[in-house]
């Protein structure tokens, strides 16, 4: 009887120990399954930024091209104001020609820019020079437009000055935007070197394996 009681007591002590082990294992599995959304979002953001910098290293000309595209779009939005100015205030010299040349040049500069930097080839110098010439032509047309408009309103002393202030503000903004595009295009080699210095290497966790591989085959 005594032996049977000892066996029974030993069985009673073993059972709760196995249950406690199972509980701890289940608790650990619950903790590891909780995702960290904040850390994952930050990691994805860093990876996107790294890929974007890598793309800028390869195609840095995207920066001045994007600025040129925005400038051309802004000028096309200003055409309505210039057209109303010409319609209401007839007799201003060379406004129609200036607006036509600026509109055509704003569209023409985009394909010239793309041809200046062909894919997987060196930049084409003639197209680069042509881009600068078109930028200079746009600024010249805006200046002629602005000067002729100001002289007309000073000489004729028009009381209403319809669309004068709007057109003057639009022309000054367009000249500034084109000047920014010229600077971004001219300084492309400078900030390309600065972008290339940015470290975009992806850190990969290495697996240290110091053991020897047994290549002997058992027959």
């Amino acid at each position: 009887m005594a032996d049977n009681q000892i066996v029974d007591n030993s069985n009673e002590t073993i059972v709760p120990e196995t249950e406690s082990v199972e509980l701890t294992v289940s608790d650990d599995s619950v903790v590891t399954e909780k995702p960290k959304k904040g850390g994952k979002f930050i990691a994805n953001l860093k990876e996107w930024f790294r890929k974007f910098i890598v793309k800028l290293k390869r195609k840095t000309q995207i920066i001045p091209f994007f600025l040129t595209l925005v400038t051309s779009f802004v000028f096309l939005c200003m055409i309505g104001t210039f057209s109303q100015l010409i319609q209401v205030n007839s007799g201003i010299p060379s406004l129609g020609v200036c607006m036509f040349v600026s509109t055509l040049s704003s569209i023409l500069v985009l394909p010239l820019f793309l041809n200046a930097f062909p894919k997987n080839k060196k930049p084409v110098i003639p197209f680069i020079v042509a881009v600068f010439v078109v930028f200079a032509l746009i600024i010249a047309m805006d200046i002629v437009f602005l000067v002729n408009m100001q002289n007309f309103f000073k000489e004729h002393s028009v009381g209403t000055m319809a669309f004068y202030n709007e057109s003057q503000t639009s022309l000054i903004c367009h000249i500034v935007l084109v000047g920014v595009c010229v600077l971004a295009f001219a300084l492309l080699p400078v900030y390309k070197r600065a972008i290339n210095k940015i470290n975009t290497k992806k850190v990969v966790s290495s697996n240290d394996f110091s053991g020897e591989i047994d290549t002997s085959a058992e027959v």
Side-chain angles (χ1 to χ4, degrees), residues 125-186:
I125 303 299
F127 283 107
I128 293 176
V129 175
V131 171
F132 281 111
V133 171
V134 173
F135 278 144
L137 182 63
I138 293 173
I139 293 176
M141 291 297 103
D142 287 346
I143 293 175
V144 173
F145 194 120
L146 182 61
V147 171
N148 289 344
M149 181 181 64
Q150 291 175 347
N151 293 334
F152 176 82
F153 280 97
K154 287 179 181 179
E155 293 174 359
H156 294 79
S157 299
V158 180
T160 56
M161 299 182 67
F163 301 102
Y164 172 77
N165 293 327
E166 294 87 348
S167 299
Q168 184 177 15
T169 304
S170 298
L171 284 171
I172 293 174
C173 291
H174 187 236
I175 292 172
V176 172
L177 288 176
V178 175
V180 171
C181 293
V182 172
L183 289 176
F185 191 54

Side-chain angles (χ1 to χ4, degrees), residues 1-15:
M1 294 295 292
D3 295 335
N4 291 330
Q5 289 179 355
I6 293 171
V7 172
D8 293 336
N9 291 330
S10 63
N11 291 331
E12 290 177 357
T13 55
I14 292 172
V15 171

Side-chain angles (χ1 to χ4, degrees), residues 75-87 99 163 167:
F75 180 79
L76 294 178
C77 294
M78 295 175 180
I79 292 178
T81 302
F82 300 149
S83 300
Q84 290 174 344
L85 173 72
I86 297 173
Q87 183 179 1
M99 189 174 66
F163 301 102
S167 299

